[in-house]
Amino acid sequence: MAPPAQSKRSASPSQPSGKSEVSDLKSQLRQLAGSRAPGVDDSKRELFKKVISYMTIGIDVSSLFGEMVMCSAASDIVLKKMCYLYVGNYAKGNPDLALLTINFLQRDCKDEDPTIRGLALRSLCSLRVANLVEYLVGPLGSGLKDNNSYVRMVAVIGVLKLYHISGSTCVDADFPVMLKSLMLNDPDTQVVANCLSALQEIWSSEASTSEEASREREALLSKSVVYYFLNRIKEFSEWAQCLVMELVAKYVPSDNNEIFDIMNLLEDRLHHANGAVVLAAIKVFLQLTLSMTDVHQQVYERIKAPLLTLVSSGSPEQSYAVLSHLHLLVTRAPYIFSADYKHFYCQYNEPSYVKKLKLDMLTAVANESNTYEIVTELCEYAANVDIPIARESIRAVGKIALQQYDVNAIVDRLLQFLEMEKDYVTAEALVLVKNLLRKYPQWSHDCIAVVGNISSKNVQEPKAKAALIWMLGEYSQDMHDAPYILENLIENWDEEHSAEVRLHLLTAVMKCFFKRAPETQKALGAALASGLADFHQDVHDRALFYYRLLQYNLSVAEQVVNPPKQAVSVFADTQSSEIKDRIFDEFNSLSVVYQKPSYMFTDKEHRGPFEFSDELGNLSIGTESADTVVPAQIVEANDKDLLLSTDEKEEGRDPSSNGSAYNAPSYDGTASQTQIELAISSPSVPGHALPSSLAIDDLLGLGLQLGAATTPSPPQLKLNQKAVLDPGSFQQKWRQLPISLSQEYSISPQGVAALTSPPALLQHMQGQSIHCIASGGQPPNLKFFFFAQKAEESSTFLVECIINTSSAKAQIKIKSDDQITSQAFSTLFQSALSTFGFP
Amino acid sequence: MISQFFVLSQRGDNIVFRDYRGEIQKGSAEIFFRKVKFWKEDGEGDAPPVFNVDGVSYFHVKVAGLLFVATTRVNVSPSLVLELLQRIARVIKDYLGVLNEDSLRKNFVLVYELLDEVIDFGYVQRTSTEVLKSYVFNEPIVVDAARLPPPGPGSIFMQGTKRMPGTAITKSVVANEPGGRKREEIFVDVIEKISITFSSSGYILTCEIDGTIQMKSYLTGNPEIRLALNEDLGIGRGGSSSHGAVILDDCNFHESVHLDSFDVNRTLALVPPDGEFPVMNYRMTQVFKPPFRITALIEEAGSLKAEVIIKLHSAFSSSITANTVLIQMPLPSFTTRISFDLEPGAVGNTTDFNQANKRLEWGLKKIVGGSEHTLRAKLTFSQESHGNIVKEAGPVSMTFTIPMYNASGLQVKYLQIAKKSKTYNPYRWVRYVTQANSYVARL
């Protein structure tokens, strides 16, 4: 056989070429069509292959339709299959010609050989011509009842094809009902699996207009159907198992026994060599245990090893898909993976998409015990020949620095980067040092000394240049050369292409002016003049604004441009917790790889069976209408009162209390030094516990000693050790009572560590006569509801406690029918919480 | 559920193209190929296996220099599609014996037949070579293995010991032998890939073995097979650790494997389907003896000069030979020239300075166990090095293949085939091979 003609390979579909070849083929096919000579089938095969090879490379061979159909009247099955392929490709564009094929396809649908019957039926349904659907109903009906499973398998998918050509024809012929009965009765599991796929598609799309269809769709999640599938799961092919488990993940069992039964049944799926099966099983495990915090944790522990094995056993592509999911789990529960950080080290020959994920995971799992090793490893990559990865590694070091208590060692590393004298390393490091200083102004001395040595000529990247200029302005009182460097930069104003840099330059020279006016005055004048003449609107506007501000009143200008600043406590997360929760709900789908919920990258009609969002009314977002609430989700909806989803927690957070808890001393000029010294010295003065110094000490990693030192002595409030309250009355009281106290505490690192097992906290609190009534959430966000009663009286305290293990904060809301003692109770609660994790 | 499937050559030509659902506009193959091509040229490294352009998700895997691609508009499981693409490639390989552009072009009609049976309207139907046999009618046109380009990593058994029939791994599962009758044989390959990182002082920072027991069966009648592994094999950290026992961190199995007696005597029972498949994948981070020790040194030797010394010691038995050894080391970007100095009497060594990547490359055709090799290289620089020269170079990385050697100690103790008759005595091949995955020594 001749391979596809070499000359045709480059032919583009928009410019069909090879017209002469096509007409050549046409005449040859004509000759053979009527011939009965021996060996004619072989010649036909050769010609057909040529036609198909043209078709593949995009040459239009639809003009051969008639000849192809004539030639395939033979009984040779290989010829038939090629003809079917050809017909399927061109029928849609040539509906009239397609009619020609109906006859022989219908005849083949009644052939003795089940393979031919199946093939013909498949091709018949693949014509995709709307006015031919009437010819499909009959063969499909008999196909569904065929005694051969291959034909039934084809027929089921045929029904789905028919539905896409003409939904009404399909529904009117009662095909969905037939599929349902086949699904529940057919001995062949591939037929059953196809029925499930087809029905999910049909009913999901019908559900918007038909009550019945939406009921049917819900019925797929009923106990009887789900159990039917689960009981046969081992008979299904690995691909169909994924389909079944996707269904099971949406099922909500009525009690915990059911959950454990299902998990035990699917346990061995975790050892499957096919990653898709393992991930589908994991999704079931994660979804089923959402409301059982401790079991949910165990699931994380259990799935760790299988996931790591999949990551290292497949091709890079397969391991990327698994790694994306591992990445999601790691960012949700970093402390569970913190001992496994070595698995996330990059190998030199891995593709960069894998390395990037791994760097992100290393950042997530970094904690006090492993930071040193992780940062050491990252520093190795920073010298890497792979420049994009080297940059990412430096950024990772920076991120770790911003999230850690103990930054001393990291700051040294970052400063070493600045001394490496590689342009891109310097650039990345400058940006990081800037961010670091915004969070930890106390490091300015060390950093400025090094930054001052960097020649601005060696910094070209706009982001890095802007960072350098920001530091020059912010710390101009400490950097001897600052006004002169700025002056130099302003002289070259016209050569500076980045508007961002010019904007920063204006602000920096203003700040510098307020600190060292005589030296800067000339430069400021030049900058404002250049700025006013700048063609960039923003730069021009800012220059004009500064100019007028200076004219109006110098001290007001200083307040505007250089006000005392608060250190940034936490840099905003790029993704809201709501989005993260949605991605988690769409586990084992593209959402995880893209790190976006599905509504951001699919059209509504293509969302597919994996989407949860529409069904979870409480998670609906802007454009989405929360239309259907599947009964399966009702349990969750009922729980909502007690176990709010994380997004609602976010909303409930009081912004002002947030600000004050993170309060840190301002660092305007001279004042900063003294205040910082004061804050640092505070641990040596036990009992001297201002909220602001508390925050600072925490940032310095001294929270440990301080936590113990500042524990307030328990006040004289006696609680009833055997208090009882049923969930119903708790909920009622919670609704009725106003919040009497709302506070945020820091939790000691020991406390956070001990929270890997939330039940331990419950036990600990119970020891203090504070009882838990409900708990939930997933790390890092845990949520608890406690109650306590006074020993002598009947007054009750209700507490909502939200703990974020990654920021080590607890937000507490107290409600009580005895407002007066709430404060005393709050102190007691805090002291109980602060001793958690200490033996 | 997928919408389209296609295979592109390295140059971006369509070799096969199948549209299952007709919901994606024309030109998707061009869009895909352009994206992949420019991803690299934009300095972002390789394109990720999954990406989205205008609402269409493109999945791809690279096999034998070809791009296997699927598209969809639906939010599917990425693992499922990528596993599927890999599986399709394997089924095609089972059929054609050899998977490359040439064999695919010669057999594209057969491939279309396979694709029609594997996927219908975007849904996976059946992917077992065994089951597909009865629905696929084209005979494969087998590409002559002798005309093949130099063997890639897939053909690791072709060189080395003569006991292995070299062409076996490239034999079609369905095509008949020239002699007419098929040879009854079964191959069990224990393939291990080593990842290891040595610190500058030669201390092992991280190590891992990723292993696969791969099976390829040409047995008729699907007899049951029992595969016994080390009896004291431990799995998981809780496993009993008698001295010298092999402790795997974790493993997974092909679905045909019955594990009933695995917990008792570490025996796997299975009825192998036709074609190639992994019986078991395993992962081990237990400390093991690395087959090679590398020490590398870079020192300044006057202005604009430096010397590199790389020492390589093979720590395995002298009856074993490693082949296709390649050692690479990135050098400072301002390196202009290198003069190499090999040991006297060194045979089969190649040395090269890759100017574009500023990389030193040292190739050794063969390394016998228990030997030591040294390379000295004198570098000339175009400018003074400012900082620490050690930070400008390295790390040293190494690739190799060692047939008949495995680092983990996992062994197939016996391979038992249920006998159909007394005269039935198929050929059994149990082969071991160890390769470097990421074998790195830092400076």
Side-chain angles (χ1 to χ4, degrees):
Chain A
M1 173 183 59
Q6 202 73 33
S7 59
K8 292 299 160 316
R9 272 184 211 155
S10 54
S12 89
S14 56
Q15 294 169 310
S17 65
K19 271 195 180 134
S20 62
E21 282 90 343
V22 174
S23 60
D24 239 29
L25 278 174
K26 196 173 182 133
S27 61
Q28 288 183 49
L29 281 168
R30 280 231 168 106
Q31 278 179 4
L32 288 178
S35 162
R36 289 187 194 285
V40 70
D41 277 359
D42 286 345
S43 334
K44 280 185 187 169
R45 279 193 191 189
E46 288 310 310
L47 282 176
F48 273 38
K49 277 179 189 172
K50 243 182 220 167
V51 173
I52 300 217
S53 80
Y54 282 6
M55 191 176 95
T56 300
I57 58 177
I59 295 176
D60 185 8
V61 284
S62 60
S63 59
L64 303 175
F65 210 103
E67 286 76 12
M68 288 291 283
V69 173
M70 276 199 289
C71 277
S72 57
S75 57
D76 182 22
I77 192 158
V78 175
L79 271 182
K80 260 195 189 4
K81 287 187 104 170
M82 282 195 270
C83 185
Y84 291 156
L85 179 67
Y86 172 88
V87 167
N89 220 29
Y90 287 112
K92 201 180 177 191
N94 305 277
D96 301 337
L97 291 168
L99 195 60
L100 290 175
T101 60
I102 291 282
N103 242 332
F104 85 86
L105 284 175
Q106 274 189 327
R107 197 181 59 231
D108 283 354
C109 282
K110 291 174 189 148
D111 199 280
E112 272 176 29
D113 183 348
T115 311
I116 303 241
R117 289 204 299 275
L119 286 172
L121 188 57
R122 185 188 291 152
S123 308
L124 193 60
C125 298
S126 302
L127 295 179
R128 292 185 207 152
V129 179
N131 53 7
L132 298 180
V133 288
E134 52 189 299
Y135 299 102
L136 300 187
V137 176
L140 272 178
S142 33
L144 290 175
K145 291 183 205 108
D146 202 289
N147 57 12
N148 184 290
S149 62
Y150 177 71
V151 182
R152 291 199 303 278
M153 192 180 99
V154 169
V156 172
I157 294 293
V159 168
L160 184 58
K161 290 174 185 165
L162 171 63
Y163 178 80
H164 279 268
I165 307 166
S166 166
S168 56
T169 316
C170 177
V171 175
D172 291 346
D174 254 357
F175 281 138
V177 179
M178 288 166 78
L179 290 194
K180 190 181 173 190
S181 110
L182 263 188
M183 178 178 83
L184 298 175
N185 298 301
D186 203 282
D188 185 289
T189 47
Q190 194 53 48
V191 175
V192 172
N194 283 355
C195 287
L196 179 59
S197 307
L199 287 176
Q200 278 183 332
E201 247 191 74
I202 294 174
W203 280 333
S204 295
S205 114
E206 287 287 295
S208 52
T209 51
S210 152
E211 282 262 326
E212 196 198 333
S214 83
R215 263 201 312 278
E216 290 286 7
R217 187 175 67 159
E218 286 156 25
L220 286 178
L221 288 170
S222 67
K223 187 169 176 173
S224 58
V225 175
V226 168
Y227 274 51
Y228 163 77
F229 279 114
L230 278 175
N231 286 330
R232 296 182 72 178
I233 191 148
K234 300 237 161 89
E235 303 165 36
F236 285 92
S237 77
E238 50 200 305
W239 315 104
Q241 288 181 12
C242 297
L243 187 72
V244 169
M245 286 192 280
E246 195 57 49
L247 183 79
V248 177
K250 287 191 241 173
Y251 169 69
V252 176
S254 54
D255 59 37
N256 289 356
N257 288 338
E258 249 191 276
I259 294 180
F260 291 118
D261 284 348
I262 294 175
M263 297 213 298
N264 284 328
L265 180 75
L266 297 179
E267 165 80 17
D268 61 349
R269 299 295 92 190
L270 294 177
H271 282 298
H272 205 288
N274 185 331
V277 174
V278 178
L279 282 176
I282 288 176
K283 178 166 186 178
V284 174
F285 283 35
L286 291 174
Q287 291 293 339
L288 289 185
T289 57
L290 268 183
S291 57
M292 306 157 83
T293 318
D294 45 342
V295 186
H296 196 71
Q297 305 259 26
Q298 289 169 17
V299 169
Y300 273 78
E301 293 286 352
R302 176 69 190 82
I303 61 186
K304 212 158 53 173
L307 281 174
L308 289 170
T309 305
L310 285 175
V311 167
S312 51
S313 62
S315 66
E317 293 94 357
Q318 285 157 304
S319 77
Y320 171 71
V322 178
L323 205 59
S324 302
H325 286 84
L326 198 56
H327 174 264
L328 173 72
L329 298 176
V330 165
T331 49
R332 281 184 86 82
Y335 56 93
I336 291 184
F337 297 90
S338 57
D340 305 285
Y341 60 94
K342 283 193 178 179
H343 289 288
F344 310 139
Y345 282 1
C346 299
Q347 297 176 350
Y348 80 99
N349 52 353
E350 280 171 329
S352 47
Y353 52 79
V354 168
K355 284 184 181 163
K356 278 184 190 155
L357 273 182
K358 285 190 164 177
L359 290 177
D360 225 21
M361 289 155 89
L362 282 174
T363 320
V365 298
N367 66 11
E368 276 128 290
S369 57
N370 59 24
T371 292
Y372 178 77
E373 286 186 61
I374 290 179
V375 171
T376 307
E377 180 76 12
L378 288 172
C379 290
E380 289 283 342
Y381 308 153
N384 207 298
V385 280
D386 183 351
I387 292 176
I389 291 303
R391 282 175 182 273
E392 293 278 349
S393 310
I394 299 168
R395 278 179 221 149
V397 174
K399 276 188 210 149
I400 293 174
L402 291 178
Q403 79 193 20
Q404 285 298 308
Y405 308 95
D406 179 24
V407 287
N408 308 28
I410 306 181
V411 171
D412 284 348
R413 302 289 182 84
L414 277 177
L415 296 179
Q416 277 174 20
F417 286 148
L418 288 178
E419 288 160 350
M420 263 172 74
E421 295 200 27
K422 284 190 184 179
D423 289 351
Y424 61 91
V425 177
T426 310
E428 291 294 339
L430 274 176
V431 176
L432 288 181
V433 169
K434 181 201 75 178
N435 289 342
L436 207 64
L437 287 177
R438 288 175 65 199
K439 182 165 179 181
Y440 307 111
Q442 64 272 28
W443 288 102
S444 63
H445 230 73
D446 304 65
C447 297
I448 290 313
V450 181
V451 171
N453 289 334
I454 295 173
S455 162
S456 60
K457 288 191 194 79
N458 293 342
V459 182
Q460 288 309 325
E461 289 173 38
K463 277 224 156 16
K465 211 166 182 178
L468 178 63
I469 292 170
W470 182 86
M471 285 186 273
L472 286 170
E474 197 64 35
Y475 298 100
S476 42
Q477 75 281 5
D478 302 328
M479 292 165 90
H480 183 67
D481 292 341
Y484 310 105
I485 301 174
L486 288 172
E487 192 174 338
N488 218 326
L489 287 164
I490 290 162
E491 274 172 23
N492 298 320
W493 185 277
D494 294 332
E495 283 147 46
E496 183 51 63
H497 299 293
S498 157
E500 186 192 0
V501 174
R502 298 200 299 274
L503 284 169
H504 271 278
L505 204 47
L506 277 173
T507 311
V509 74
M510 281 287 276
K511 285 183 192 163
C512 189
F513 174 72
F514 292 121
K515 289 163 193 160
R516 300 164 69 171
E519 295 161 280
T520 324
Q521 199 167 8
K522 192 169 140 251
L524 177 64
L528 290 175
S530 309
L532 285 170
D534 203 283
F535 61 90
H536 194 276
Q537 192 67 50
D538 289 347
V539 180
H540 170 82
D541 287 358
R542 187 176 289 189
L544 191 63
F545 171 65
Y546 283 165
Y547 177 69
R548 291 190 175 149
L549 205 55
L550 289 168
Q551 267 189 327
Y552 171 70
N553 183 329
L554 271 183
S555 71
V556 170
E558 176 162 16
Q559 274 172 38
V560 171
V561 178
N562 197 28
K565 283 185 202 64
Q566 284 187 356
V568 179
S569 58
V570 180
F571 283 90
D573 213 332
T574 43
Q575 271 181 332
S576 72
S577 54
E578 183 190 10
I579 297 233
K580 285 181 188 161
D581 283 350
R582 260 180 97 117
I583 296 172
F584 182 73
D585 280 335
E586 295 173 348
F587 192 85
N588 194 21
S589 79
L590 286 169
S591 312
V592 179
V593 173
Y594 297 151
Q595 300 182 12
K596 282 178 193 165
S598 59
Y599 71 87
M600 290 188 177
F601 62 88
T602 50
D603 327 321
K604 185 126 183 126
E605 69 268 31
H606 289 301
R607 241 149 265 165
F610 294 90
E611 214 210 13
F612 266 71
S613 51
D614 276 359
E615 292 153 5
L616 282 171
N618 56 337
L619 280 177
S620 79
I621 284 184
T623 56
E624 308 267 338
S625 60
D627 41 8
T628 45
V629 176
V630 164
Q633 303 298 344
I634 285 176
V635 180
E636 194 149 331
N638 286 343
D639 278 352
K640 238 173 74 184
D641 288 346
L642 286 178
L643 300 170
L644 300 163
S645 57
T646 34
D647 56 320
E648 279 163 290
K649 273 178 251 165
E650 219 64 19
E651 286 158 22
R653 188 179 284 169
D654 183 356
S656 64
S657 75
N658 200 348
S660 69
Y662 289 126
N663 214 348
S666 55
Y667 56 104
D668 53 323
T670 51
S672 68
Q673 263 340 86
T674 51
Q675 277 210 10
I676 286 162
E677 273 156 28
L678 190 135
I680 290 172
S681 63
S682 69
S684 57
V685 194
H688 173 79
L690 290 164
S692 65
S693 64
L694 209 160
I696 266 290
D697 288 320
D698 204 0
L699 298 174
L700 292 174
L702 299 170
L704 201 155
Q705 299 115 292
L706 202 81
T710 54
T711 305
S713 56
Q716 297 305 310
L717 175 69
K718 286 241 164 18
L719 295 177
N720 181 359
Q721 291 189 349
K722 291 180 180 131
V724 256
L725 192 67
D726 65 282
S729 27
F730 182 97
Q731 244 171 311
Q732 198 187 0
K733 268 181 188 290
W734 186 258
R735 266 198 295 271
Q736 286 164 352
L737 292 169
I739 295 178
S740 46
L741 251 173
S742 166
Q743 268 180 309
E744 188 170 85
Y745 309 138
S746 295
I747 298 183
S748 65
Q750 284 86 346
V752 174
L755 267 172
T756 39
S757 157
L761 175 67
L762 307 189
Q763 246 171 28
H764 170 80
M765 296 306 272
Q766 191 145 21
Q768 319 275 335
S769 305
I770 299 168
H771 308 271
C772 178
I773 194 152
S775 65
Q778 291 132 18
N781 288 311
L782 300 169
K783 182 165 199 168
F784 303 91
F785 285 93
F786 296 103
F787 69 93
Q789 274 165 351
K790 270 194 191 176
E792 285 90 29
E793 302 161 55
S794 65
S795 42
T796 316
F797 302 99
L798 311 180
V799 188
E800 180 203 72
C801 173
I802 299 171
I803 298 181
N804 184 305
T805 50
S806 61
S807 64
K809 301 277 182 206
Q811 286 185 295
I812 286 149
K813 284 195 193 117
I814 298 174
K815 295 187 179 185
S816 169
D817 30 31
D818 180 5
Q819 302 279 348
I820 306 143
T821 45
S822 308
Q823 182 59 53
F825 174 74
S826 160
T827 327
L828 194 135
F829 188 88
Q830 189 189 352
S831 95
L833 198 61
S834 64
T835 54
F836 176 57
F838 291 92
Chain B
M1 185 186 70
I2 64 166
S3 212
Q4 300 168 320
F5 168 87
F6 47 90
V7 180
L8 298 184
S9 75
Q10 245 156 355
R11 294 181 309 279
D13 306 333
N14 276 355
I15 301 177
V16 285
F17 185 96
R18 189 80 179 88
D19 191 340
Y20 289 107
R21 290 180 69 102
E23 57 193 9
I24 288 170
Q25 66 283 13
K26 268 197 173 163
S28 54
E30 285 82 6
I31 294 172
F32 165 80
F33 190 70
R34 219 174 302 133
K35 194 87 184 168
V36 167
K37 213 173 128 199
F38 287 121
W39 209 293
K40 192 140 207 172
E41 286 171 10
D42 290 347
E44 295 278 319
D46 286 331
V50 188
F51 56 81
N52 191 301
V53 182
D54 299 330
V56 178
S57 289
Y58 295 84
F59 300 81
H60 75 278
V61 300
K62 279 187 202 136
V63 186
L66 301 164
L67 290 161
F68 284 68
V69 191
T71 64
T72 184
R73 285 185 172 277
V74 182
N75 190 17
V76 295
S77 156
S79 265
L80 188 132
V81 179
L82 292 168
E83 292 272 353
L84 175 66
L85 289 175
Q86 207 80 45
R87 188 68 55 86
I88 292 175
R90 212 168 70 201
V91 169
I92 295 176
K93 185 175 173 238
D94 281 345
Y95 263 85
L96 307 186
V98 183
L99 178 59
N100 58 24
E101 188 175 338
D102 187 31
S103 69
L104 212 57
R105 283 192 189 278
K106 282 209 165 79
N107 289 286
F108 73 99
V109 178
L110 167 68
V111 174
Y112 274 123
E113 254 196 295
L114 282 171
L115 288 176
D116 265 356
E117 298 301 331
V118 170
I119 298 167
D120 195 4
F121 206 53
Y123 289 103
V124 191
Q125 300 298 305
R126 34 189 51 165
T127 53
S128 134
T129 306
E130 178 98 29
V131 179
L132 287 167
K133 262 184 183 172
S134 39
Y135 297 95
V136 172
F137 300 93
N138 273 291
E139 279 277 322
I141 298 157
V142 180
V143 177
D144 188 1
R147 283 207 344 251
L148 285 177
S155 49
I156 42 180
F157 296 110
M158 292 178 70
Q159 329 106 15
T161 45
K162 285 204 182 80
R163 289 187 299 152
M164 295 175 206
T167 51
I169 204 98
T170 60
K171 199 167 77 174
S172 166
V173 172
V174 288
N176 287 323
E177 298 276 292
R181 274 195 51 212
K182 271 174 71 176
R183 187 149 111 149
E184 291 283 311
E185 56 188 341
I186 182 165
F187 295 87
V188 177
D189 300 332
V190 181
I191 304 166
E192 293 192 344
K193 293 191 171 159
I194 300 184
S195 298
I196 200 163
T197 309
F198 297 102
S199 74
S200 52
S201 50
Y203 166 78
I204 296 176
L205 291 170
T206 57
C207 60
E208 177 167 313
I209 296 175
D210 301 314
T212 303
I213 303 180
Q214 188 105 359
M215 189 176 275
K216 192 161 188 180
S217 161
Y218 296 91
L219 303 178
T220 48
N222 301 89
E224 196 195 43
I225 281 175
R226 297 178 75 78
L227 205 64
L229 307 178
N230 313 28
E231 266 186 53
D232 54 357
L233 184 72
I235 292 165
R237 271 164 218 161
S240 66
S241 54
S242 60
H243 184 67
V246 179
I247 312 287
L248 305 178
D249 289 43
D250 186 52
C251 54
N252 62 35
F253 304 93
H254 187 259
E255 60 177 355
S256 65
V257 178
H258 293 288
L259 296 170
D260 305 336
S261 54
F262 186 67
D263 285 339
V264 189
N265 56 11
R266 297 299 184 214
T267 303
L268 304 168
L270 69 154
V271 176
D274 283 359
E276 189 178 286
F277 65 98
V279 177
M280 169 180 168
N281 297 308
Y282 56 92
R283 177 167 61 81
M284 184 180 111
T285 51
Q286 185 190 25
V287 178
F288 58 92
K289 194 174 158 199
F292 290 102
R293 286 270 176 189
I294 325 167
T295 43
L297 201 72
I298 181 165
E299 270 178 344
E300 281 181 87
S303 72
L304 301 179
K305 278 196 167 61
E307 189 178 30
V308 171
I309 303 171
I310 303 174
K311 274 203 174 109
L312 184 64
H313 175 72
S314 56
F316 43 88
S317 142
S318 58
S319 61
I320 288 167
T321 307
N323 43 42
T324 54
V325 180
L326 180 65
I327 294 160
Q328 297 185 312
M329 175 176 167
L331 298 173
S333 54
F334 38 78
T335 309
T336 48
R337 232 160 23 88
I338 303 191
S339 67
F340 292 100
D341 185 9
L342 283 164
E343 289 168 309
V347 195
N349 280 226
T350 54
T351 50
D352 188 24
F353 174 47
N354 184 327
Q355 279 282 359
N357 303 330
K358 299 290 179 193
R359 207 162 53 199
L360 176 160
E361 295 177 350
W362 177 24
L364 297 100
K365 242 186 198 152
K366 277 190 178 136
I367 295 185
V368 183
S371 59
E372 196 164 292
H373 306 261
T374 310
L375 175 76
R376 285 164 191 276
K378 291 198 165 59
L379 316 184
T380 311
F381 298 149
S382 61
Q383 64 173 79
E384 293 269 349
S385 120
H386 300 286
N388 189 348
I389 191 166
V390 174
K391 293 230 169 190
E392 300 280 343
V396 179
S397 61
M398 179 175 182
T399 55
F400 55 80
T401 299
I402 319 176
M404 301 318 285
Y405 173 83
N406 86 334
S408 69
L410 180 110
Q411 304 219 307
V412 175
K413 294 288 180 197
Y414 63 82
L415 167 63
Q416 200 177 59
I417 304 173
K419 291 210 171 187
K420 286 185 286 193
S421 68
K422 274 193 182 149
T423 54
Y424 183 70
N425 201 8
Y427 294 91
R428 290 161 237 208
W429 308 97
V430 178
R431 310 178 293 187
Y432 296 89
V433 72
T434 296
Q435 289 177 302
N437 181 22
S438 164
Y439 211 91
V440 173
R442 289 184 176 152
L443 292 175

